[in-house]
Amino acid sequence: MNGQFTSAQDIHSGGSPCRLVVRKQHGTAEILQFVIAGLENGQQVVVLAGPGCLKDLAGSLTESGLKPDALLRNGRLIFLTAPKCLAQLSHPDEILQRGPLRHTAPLLRWVSDWSWAYSNGMNPAEILDYQRRVHDFARSLTALSICTVHCRGNERSSLLAMLADHRRAARAVWGTV
């Protein structure tokens, strides 16, 4: 995987739809690959991230020859700005009825970048709760999902804690072991 990752692990050996990627480098290269693959396959792609990550991803899509503004307008690409959007995930029926998510799509791709949460010194229990809500929502949509975080020089123990939190969140939703 192009050397940018300190860890990329499937959470569930049976092919769980979520994987955590911890990035060493700033940027959206691994998110970009996942997003473009979904768009090329005609899938709807949802990206939940902080404003900076969403801006970087839009720029990277443009550099790759795609038109993020058009994709956002036609609903093939959806940007959810964290943390504001997280309260909405508690009411999935409202999002599906009023929002741009197509619950009839055969497969959805979901990207969650948690860098905003870890960089703000948020309480780990609160991050875990958010991750559980997001995983539960993505699972309800039958989404292929990837979670990512930029490690920003974190120590190995912090990275292992992030991985453990992600596993707990996925286990609570998908019943993984």
Side-chain angles (χ1 to χ4, degrees):
M1 291 205 185
N2 83 17
Q4 292 186 23
F5 312 114
T6 54
S7 172
Q9 176 162 353
D10 288 324
I11 296 303
H12 181 251
S13 60
S16 168
C18 194
R19 166 180 79 147
L20 175 67
V21 176
V22 179
R23 305 182 326 266
K24 283 184 181 179
Q25 306 281 328
H26 182 71
T28 58
E30 54 285 324
I31 298 170
L32 184 65
Q33 294 166 8
F34 187 76
V35 169
I36 289 175
L39 294 170
E40 287 175 347
N41 289 323
Q43 299 165 338
Q44 188 174 38
V45 178
V46 178
V47 182
L48 181 151
C53 181
L54 294 174
K55 183 179 177 183
D56 290 347
L57 183 58
S60 295
L61 287 168
T62 300
E63 290 172 10
S64 296
L66 297 172
K67 297 181 176 162
D69 290 338
L71 292 166
L72 290 165
R73 270 193 311 278
N74 71 21
R76 295 222 15 243
L77 179 64
I78 298 170
F79 282 173
L80 301 175
T81 306
K84 294 177 185 177
C85 68
L86 294 171
Q88 296 173 333
L89 298 180
S90 298
H91 307 288
D93 291 337
E94 290 180 25
I95 292 174
L96 293 173
Q97 290 173 3
R98 293 183 296 137
L101 288 174
R102 295 181 295 200
H103 59 287
T104 57
L107 185 63
L108 177 85
R109 286 194 181 222
W110 188 285
V111 177
S112 299
D113 180 71
W114 295 100
S115 301
W116 62 271
Y118 287 103
S119 67
N120 289 337
M122 188 178 282
N123 178 330
E126 191 175 4
I127 295 171
L128 182 60
D129 180 57
Y130 284 145
Q131 287 179 339
R132 283 184 179 144
R133 276 196 260 166
V134 169
H135 280 109
D136 187 45
F137 187 72
R139 183 194 50 78
S140 75
L141 299 170
T142 316
L144 181 59
S145 178
I146 186 171
C147 287
T148 183
V149 65
H150 180 236
C151 67
R152 300 175 198 233
N154 288 326
E155 296 177 10
R156 180 172 169 77
S157 60
S158 296
L159 296 175
L160 292 173
M162 285 180 209
L163 180 59
D165 284 348
H166 188 264
R167 282 184 176 156
R168 278 193 285 279
R171 185 179 303 126
V173 173
W174 284 297
T176 57
V177 180

